Amino acid sequence: METIRAFIAVPLPGALLKQLTDLQGRLERRVPPRSVRWVRPEGIHLTLKFLGDTPAEKLPGIKQALVVVARNAPVCTFTVGEVGCFPNTHRPRVVWVGVQEPTGRLAVLQDAIEEVMAPLGYELEGRGFTPHLTLGRVGRKTSRGDVAQVGEAVAAAEVGQLAEVVADRFELIRSVLKPTGAEYTTLEMFALGE
Ligand code: 3AM
C-alpha cells in the first residue's frame, strides 16, 4: 500500500521568506557553529496539522473534508515576530519565530481541521496549538554547553514584529524525507471562505 507523508500548512509569501532568511543569519551568528540545522527558507510554512504516513487511498476523503473546512473559515491576518524555542529556551530543540493571530480565527481554523481529521483516524494534537514558524532544529550531536548557548542566544535576541501575513488559504503538502532535508510538494490548495 502506497503511503504519503503529509501535513497541512499555510504557505508564506516570498517577502517573508526573505526576512526569515535574514533572521536565520542573525541567529546563526549568535549560536555555536553547527549547533543548529537551519530549515531551508523555501521549506518554512505555518503548520496546522501533521498527518504523517497516510495511505494514498485516504487522500480523496481528506481533501473532501478539507474543502468543507476551508469554505467555512474566514480569511485572517497574522503577525510574525519574536523568537523562542520548543520545549523552552532552557532545553532548546526547535528554534522558531512566533505567530500571533489575536482574533482567534486561526485557532478556530486549526481546531476545525482537527475535528474533521479525527474521524479519519488522526489523533488530536495533545500538545495544543502553538502557531509558529520553525527556523531550525538543534542538532542531536550538539554538546550540552552548546545547546545551553543556543537557548541563551534565542532568549537574548531582540526580534520585533517582522511582518503581517494574510492567510487566505492552506495546503495539503507532501513531505519526502531526504538526507539533504525534507522536500515538500503541494498536493492541493484550499482557499478560505469560498
Ligand atoms: O514546520 P513545523 O516544524 O511547524 O515539525 C514538523 C513540521 O512542522 C512537523 O510537521 C511539519 C512538516 O514536517 N512534524 C514532523 N513530524 C511530526 C510529528 N511526529 C511533526 N509534528 C507532529 N508530530
Side-chain angles (χ1 to χ4, degrees):
M1 179 183 53
E2 191 200 356
T3 64
I4 284 167
R5 184 179 159 90
F7 63 99
I8 298 162
V10 176
L12 304 173
L16 175 59
L17 299 184
K18 171 76 184 65
Q19 286 179 292
L20 296 177
T21 314
D22 295 344
L23 177 57
Q24 286 176 320
R26 275 165 57 196
L27 292 170
E28 190 169 19
R29 286 192 288 278
R30 290 163 161 261
V31 300
R34 291 176 298 282
S35 55
V36 176
R37 287 177 286 115
W38 300 100
V39 177
R40 276 178 288 117
E42 62 275 18
I44 303 179
H45 41 253
L46 170 56
T47 302
L48 297 175
K49 175 84 183 156
F50 177 75
L51 305 182
D53 287 332
T54 296
E57 68 207 30
K58 271 191 163 184
L59 288 177
I62 291 172
K63 288 178 187 174
Q64 252 178 5
L66 293 178
V67 166
V68 178
V69 169
R71 195 182 294 144
N72 292 313
V75 169
C76 68
T77 302
F78 60 85
T79 58
V80 176
E82 306 302 335
V83 284
C85 296
F86 289 142
N88 55 57
T89 50
H90 299 289
R91 285 188 301 139
R93 297 229 52 81
V94 171
V95 179
W96 47 257
V97 60
V99 165
Q100 302 82 32
E101 197 287 301
T103 74
R105 286 179 177 189
L106 187 65
V108 169
L109 169 62
Q110 198 276 337
D111 203 54
I113 291 175
E114 293 283 354
E115 230 171 81
V116 296
M117 295 309 296
L120 295 172
Y122 294 90
E123 274 177 37
L124 298 177
E125 176 55 71
R127 291 173 293 194
F129 178 52
T130 308
H132 66 276
L133 312 178
T134 296
L135 297 173
R137 295 183 173 83
V138 178
R140 281 195 201 90
K141 292 180 183 157
T142 304
S143 71
R144 266 189 192 210
D146 283 359
V147 171
Q149 279 189 45
V150 170
E152 283 161 22
V154 171
E158 289 186 3
V159 178
Q161 187 178 310
L162 287 182
E164 217 171 57
V165 179
V166 176
D168 57 3
R169 67 204 140 111
F170 60 79
E171 296 179 346
L172 179 64
I173 301 172
R174 177 177 195 172
S175 163
V176 176
L177 298 179
K178 302 217 162 150
T180 46
E183 270 181 23
Y184 300 135
T185 344
T186 299
L187 299 176
E188 188 100 13
M189 193 269 277
F190 303 87
L192 298 184
E194 286 187 357

